[in-house]
Amino acid sequence: GPILDGDPPSRATNTVLHSEAEAEAAVAEQAGLGFDYIKIYDNLPVDLYRAIGRAAKQRGMPVTGHLPTPVGLDGLFRYGVQGEVQHLEEFLPFVDDGRDPRLVDSIARGLARAGIAVVPTITVFTSALAQAENLAGLRQRPEMAFVNPATAATWGWTETAASRSGQPGAVSRYRRVTDFFERQLLPALRRAGVTIVAGTDAPIPMIVPGFSLHDELANYVASGLSPLEALETATTAAGRVIPAGRRLPGFGTVAVGAPADLLLLSADPVASIGALKQRLGVVARGRWYSQARLNRSLDSLAAVYRAR
């Protein structure tokens, strides 16, 4: 549902809450409209954070999103409001933006004890690094043909990516943070047994839905996960974190009675995560789509966007 935030909000499109009554009403409204999750954001104060947690629990709605700054790690572990934290970057304030790893294992153990899953979205930072190093090259990737021009227009290349392209400070920062995620934080989460769920934060600028998931899974393998463990973040782990009443039975597994959403590949993804790109076709909701048919669909989409 609409993102719930404190005052002032981190961005203008967030729903601003000022009281516990407003927090409870917002959760009730989203539940009534049929949303599955409550998403919270950066500036939510502790009292409203807890009010959202109580109201969401009463309605069986899971809470996900950012780690609000006023709540911090202590509140995250103490109050039991969130079942997930979106983005590894939420932990950067506690590790000096990736310069100080001393709290890494403590954070990981706390998440594991609390049963809080993490959606890393490392791709946000690897993409930002690529934009800073070679923006023009990134814009020439084949998958850019499948980005809706209306979406691309909201990316603000001139104000964001273009302004940091080639800037040594931007390159240094994104390289440091990406290295910290892959060498320190994600391996610590894996060691502690934290549930890791794949996600890419698309459509953040230059992150193309679908294509970016392959990049994200490759980031996990670069961080020390095996290809099988990386695959699990996008399948069985996703099934575990979605409450039973809000997912189809067997979601994320290959089993009798499970949803028939499958990839047929010409290579073994357990041997190499790159095999996911060697598709023969897709079964979506029980219907078969050959790769040739999918390619024709993509080509048609690209033609429509070129004409705009």
Side-chain angles (χ1 to χ4, degrees):
I3 296 172
L4 304 182
D5 204 351
D7 190 6
S10 292
R11 61 186 190 187
T13 54
N14 292 353
T15 298
V16 179
L17 303 176
H18 302 92
S19 67
E20 293 186 19
E22 286 186 2
E24 292 166 359
V27 172
E29 179 182 27
Q30 292 194 22
L33 290 171
F35 290 113
D36 291 315
Y37 279 79
I38 299 295
K39 181 170 183 179
I40 58 175
Y41 226 64
D42 301 331
N43 292 332
L44 201 63
V46 172
D47 58 336
L48 304 190
Y49 178 80
R50 297 183 70 184
I52 287 171
R54 291 191 298 269
K57 185 176 182 180
Q58 290 173 357
R59 293 165 176 80
M61 295 184 73
V63 178
T64 187
H66 290 196
L67 172 53
T69 300
V71 173
L73 285 173
D74 182 63
L76 175 70
F77 298 146
R78 178 187 299 179
Y79 300 127
V81 170
Q82 287 176 253
E84 293 178 8
V85 173
Q86 303 287 334
H87 323 304
L88 291 183
E89 65 195 81
E90 296 302 301
F91 303 107
L92 287 177
F94 310 103
V95 292
D96 191 20
D97 203 45
R99 298 182 185 92
D100 184 354
R102 286 178 294 179
L103 288 180
V104 163
D105 286 323
S106 175
I107 292 170
R109 289 193 296 268
L111 291 166
R113 283 195 299 268
I116 298 171
V118 174
V119 184
T121 65
I122 296 176
T123 304
V124 171
F125 280 81
T126 56
S127 176
L129 175 59
Q131 292 173 53
E133 291 180 323
N134 182 14
L135 177 60
L138 209 62
R139 293 179 70 168
Q140 296 303 313
R141 293 172 301 166
E143 58 261 40
M144 295 300 293
F146 311 118
V147 177
N148 189 323
T151 298
T154 69
W155 282 355
W157 279 321
T158 301
E159 297 80 10
T160 55
S163 66
R164 64 185 176 226
S165 180
Q167 296 298 316
V171 172
S172 175
R173 196 260 169 153
Y174 292 126
R175 184 172 291 150
R176 179 185 72 245
V177 172
T178 298
D179 185 74
F180 172 75
F181 287 162
E182 292 187 345
R183 294 175 181 266
Q184 299 282 345
L185 187 50
L186 195 61
L189 300 185
R190 176 177 178 254
R191 288 194 303 271
V194 175
T195 297
I196 300 166
V197 183
T200 67
D201 213 14
I204 289 289
M206 305 293 280
I207 296 177
V208 182
F211 294 88
S212 57
L213 182 58
H214 291 277
D215 298 333
E216 183 76 2
L217 297 180
N219 290 333
Y220 299 165
V221 174
S223 303
L225 274 68
S226 69
L228 178 58
E229 289 172 325
L231 288 169
E232 289 171 344
T233 69
T235 54
T236 55
R240 289 198 304 272
V241 300
I242 300 173
R246 297 181 180 272
R247 60 174 160 84
L248 296 174
F251 178 85
T253 66
V254 181
V256 174
D261 295 324
L262 303 162
L263 300 180
L264 182 62
L265 307 171
S266 62
D268 182 5
V270 175
S272 171
I273 200 67
L276 287 175
K277 296 182 179 181
Q278 300 182 46
R279 290 180 301 276
L280 298 174
V282 173
V283 179
R285 299 181 181 179
R287 186 174 180 180
W288 168 250
Y289 299 86
S290 70
Q291 192 59 41
R293 178 179 177 182
L294 294 173
N295 289 340
R296 289 193 297 271
S297 296
L298 286 170
D299 290 342
S300 296
L301 179 64
V304 169
Y305 288 160
R306 282 196 302 270
R308 290 188 178 179

